[in-house]
Amino acid sequence: MAKVDAKTARELLENGYNGKKVSFSEEDRELILKAKDDEIVGFIGSDGESYWFINYDYAIKNYEVE
């Protein structure tokens, strides 16, 4: 998974990644829109076919990420 800041996350919301839509929960969308551009808000994950956003707090608690 790759860390993303709020600015990048907003770009992913609008444009997707590698031509594919990135899945975000409604709560994550609100978090991203309120965050400062350089604030780390989460991670982007992929299974090779689709992409999704995992917010930072959830990822730290449930995955082995730094």
Side-chain angles (χ1 to χ4, degrees):
M1 289 190 285
K3 282 184 188 178
V4 292
D5 60 24
K7 181 179 179 184
T8 303
R10 286 191 287 273
E11 291 171 3
L12 293 169
L13 268 169
E14 290 184 30
N15 305 317
Y17 184 75
N18 285 341
K20 295 186 179 184
K21 182 180 175 185
V22 178
S23 297
F24 292 84
S25 73
E26 193 58 40
E27 293 168 346
D28 291 339
R29 289 173 189 265
E30 291 177 22
L31 168 83
I32 291 164
L33 294 175
K34 292 178 183 177
K36 296 178 183 175
D37 281 355
D38 61 349
E39 182 180 345
I40 300 298
V41 291
F43 297 84
I44 293 299
S46 175
D47 60 7
E49 293 186 24
S50 60
Y51 297 92
W52 58 88
F53 176 83
I54 302 170
N55 80 49
Y56 189 82
D57 291 336
Y58 183 86
I60 294 298
K61 291 176 187 174
N62 295 287
Y63 297 96
E64 293 182 25
V65 295
E66 296 179 14

